[in-house]
Each structure stands twice: as structure tokens, then as C-alpha cells.
Amino acid sequence: MKSVRVRAAVSVVALGLLAGCGGPQQDVVDASNVPRLRAHAADAVNGRPRTVMPQGPRSVFTTYRTTGDDGSQVVHTKWHGRASGYTGDVWAWVPPQYNQARYARSGFPVLIALPGAWGYPSNYWADAPFALEERLAEWSKEGKTLPFILVMPVLNPRKTYYDGSDIPGQPRMGSWLTRDMPAFARANFRTYASRDGWGFMGSSSGGFAALKAVLKEPQRFKAAIVNGPDTAPDSPLWKGHAAEKLANDPRHLARQLTARGGPQVYLAFELGSKEDAVPDVKRFVSGYTDGARGPIHSTLFEIPDGVHSGHTYIKRMPESLHWISEQMQGPVAAPSV
């Protein structure tokens, strides 16, 4: 099933990038009905959360594209992952608030954003047609979402799907996403020590990887936006590794997390009404998550007439980002500035 959906996603991404030639043609996204975030009780109860200052070594960044009149940029670098042993491309963006004096000593929440299709050799969330960075700057300024740092790595080491996992005998792409990307962020940016400052988002194949990462490592990551995902591993590279494949199956991981009773995680699903995956994703939501009670909390945004495409999912991104923002830790301004 993934091969069909990857071909479809590749076609959609190609069309989106072509639309961007000579000036990005952006999707219309209406965030007017998204409310402002509620005050975070954790700020008042726990005081200032523990910020982790950049630990280095700092990456050498090049400008990928400029995203605002304030000089904010998507930047690009190569990163060698010590956990995975893989060296790959990473794009990153910090929100305008990151460079404001009142937040100079504060951590910021990190969202590891994963593309669909092959997720190689690029990450389309860094590109102008979706304008995720510009939109996030606007929504966070309006108080509707948190001002996330975006970390946007390649998903796979080549045009083969690795299920965002450490498949025996293959590049350790699970470690690349869940160990090396946090290490990259901590080396370069002010982040938070606790999982309240760490989440994933992803579409299609990246949605599977985001879903699995949070269910597999809830002690590290609190929330995910999961767009049009597969809900079971199906890389051909699992052949001969049934036990390891099971250990990376979101259904199995959800059962284990529920049996343990936590930690609490939060999953915002997005799904186009015309997607082939509608029945499968709805079965997963109803069978493996428990709405408001948890430990696997969920919400589902179904987009009328939506198809399996980032251009569908961006339409409900303000609602999804708002929903996970309510569960995560935002930056804390210094009282004297």
C-alpha cells in the first residue's frame, strides 16, 4: 500500500514545487476560528521550566530561504548522527520570538517535521509552497500556537522506505529521528530538558514515523501531528526480522503504552475524506486511542474532499498545531524585559 501512496505523494509534491516556480503559489489556510491558547498551568505551578542552552558543537548553516522581513530564515546543514552513524541533510527554522530579548534565556519547544513520499533527498516542509514557517510565525504571534523551532531532516537515506526504524543490517533511521535530531537541536538551540518541549509532525510515510516515535518513546516526546499515515510497518527491508518489525508496529506500541498506563501522549490526526486510508486510520483511532482519557489522547481532523497530500493537510494545520500546543511547553519571557 505504501508504494502506491508514495507515488501519489511524489506527484503531489512535484506539482507543488512546480507551482512555486517564479513565486510560490500558496494554499489558502483559514485560521480565523482558531482561538488563542490558554495560559499554561505548568508555568504557574512549576515556575520557570529548565532550559537547556546550546551545547555545541554548533553546525555551520547556509541559508536555504528567507521567510520574513525580520530576517528569519530556513537554514540547511549536514549532521552526523552519533546514535545512528548516518550523516544526512537537515533544515531548521527558529521563530521570530527566539531572537527577542525577553526570551533570550528561555527554551523553546521543538517540532521535528517529517515529509511524505520518500523523504529524500529533501524535506518539503522547508519549502515555500507550503510556507509552514511563515504561517507558524503568524499563528504564534497571534497566540494561537506555540512558537516552535522546526527541525526538518531527511526521512530516509535513499529512495527506499525504512519505516523510520532501526532495521537490522540497515542505516539506523529510527535513531536518526529520535536520538540524533534532538542532539542536533540541543547542540544549536535553546531547548527544554523535559518531554513537554518535544514533539513530531509528519505526513504519509513521515506520519507513520511520527506516530511510531511518540508511541515508542513517550518518555522523550509528548505529542505528534499525524497526517494521512500508515498505521503498520510495511518496509520490504523487514524480511526475516519479524520480532523487530513487531517492536516498531504502532498498534503493538499503543497496546503496550495503554497497559503501562502512561506516560500520557497526544496525537492530532489529519485525514482527507477521499483518502484510501480513511477506514484504517479511523480503526486505529477508535481501537488504540482513548480520546480525552488517555494515556493515548487523540483528536481527528477530517478534511472534506481532501486527498492524500500535504496541500490537504496544511488546511487544518492551525487546528492541529493549536491542539498540541495546549499540551506542550512554550517559551517563558523574562519578567524584567
Side-chain angles (χ1 to χ4, degrees):
M1 177 179 178
K2 188 177 275 105
S3 62
V4 174
R5 298 174 69 189
V6 165
R7 287 196 297 271
V10 168
S11 298
V12 167
V13 171
L15 288 171
L17 294 179
L18 286 172
C21 294
Q25 179 179 325
Q26 296 178 357
D27 299 284
V28 176
V29 180
D30 182 8
S32 61
N33 292 324
V34 178
R36 290 179 60 85
L37 295 171
R38 297 171 293 177
H40 282 247
D43 292 349
V45 173
N46 300 322
R48 184 179 294 275
R50 187 163 76 85
T51 293
V52 178
M53 302 302 287
Q55 300 172 330
R58 296 290 187 100
S59 298
V60 177
F61 291 110
T62 58
T63 300
Y64 182 68
R65 68 182 186 91
T66 300
T67 62
D69 294 336
D70 58 359
S72 57
Q73 299 175 333
V74 175
V75 293
H76 168 262
T77 192
K78 290 276 190 179
W79 183 257
H80 175 70
R82 292 186 177 181
S84 66
Y86 174 68
T87 300
D89 292 281
V90 185
W91 294 260
W93 177 84
V94 298
Q97 294 90 331
Y98 187 88
N99 294 311
Q100 294 174 2
R102 60 181 177 151
Y103 294 116
R105 303 297 297 176
S106 177
F108 277 71
V110 176
L111 198 61
I112 301 171
L114 306 177
W118 298 117
Y120 177 89
S122 60
N123 184 319
Y124 56 61
W125 292 121
D127 291 327
F130 289 114
L132 177 62
E133 294 77 14
E134 289 89 339
R135 299 182 198 279
L136 184 53
E138 176 186 352
W139 299 333
S140 63
K141 182 179 180 180
E142 294 171 347
K144 296 179 177 183
T145 73
L146 292 179
F148 290 97
I149 294 171
L150 296 179
V151 172
M152 299 167 279
V154 291
L155 177 61
N156 293 301
R158 58 190 176 99
K159 290 185 177 180
T160 298
Y161 194 60
Y162 288 72
D163 278 340
S165 302
D166 291 353
I167 300 175
Q170 302 295 332
R172 296 166 55 84
M173 301 315 289
S175 293
W176 167 251
L177 299 178
T178 63
R179 297 291 200 278
D180 294 333
M181 288 306 96
F184 163 79
R186 291 189 177 105
N188 289 286
F189 309 116
R190 300 189 306 275
T191 61
Y192 283 127
S194 80
R195 74 187 193 107
D196 289 350
W198 295 88
F200 272 88
M201 66 166 277
S203 298
S204 188
S205 50
F208 172 86
L211 172 65
K212 181 181 73 73
V214 172
L215 293 175
K216 190 175 180 67
E217 304 206 40
Q219 75 282 6
R220 294 175 179 268
F221 307 102
K222 190 174 185 181
I225 297 173
V226 185
N227 302 328
D230 287 314
T231 58
D234 61 359
S235 169
L237 300 173
W238 287 117
K239 185 176 181 179
H241 304 290
E244 292 88 349
K245 181 178 180 180
L246 178 64
N248 287 275
D249 189 324
R251 299 165 299 182
H252 176 67
L253 295 167
R255 286 191 292 265
Q256 288 185 317
L257 182 55
T258 299
R260 293 195 304 267
Q264 309 286 309
V265 297
Y266 298 83
L267 305 174
F269 290 86
E270 291 189 29
L271 193 63
S273 65
K274 293 184 176 180
E275 292 194 57
D276 292 339
V278 168
D280 180 58
V281 173
K282 287 187 173 181
R283 277 195 300 270
F284 184 90
V285 171
S286 63
Y288 296 96
T289 76
D290 202 9
R293 288 182 293 174
I296 305 174
H297 305 264
S298 68
T299 189
L300 172 62
F301 299 105
E302 187 168 355
I303 299 100
D305 298 320
V307 296
H308 189 67
S309 165
H311 295 286
T312 287
Y313 309 134
I314 195 71
K315 294 178 181 179
R316 297 305 297 270
M317 197 64 72
E319 289 88 350
S320 294
L321 283 166
H322 175 87
W323 193 80
I324 68 165
S325 291
E326 290 280 5
Q327 320 304 329
M328 297 181 69
Q329 176 65 58
V332 180
S336 59
V337 177

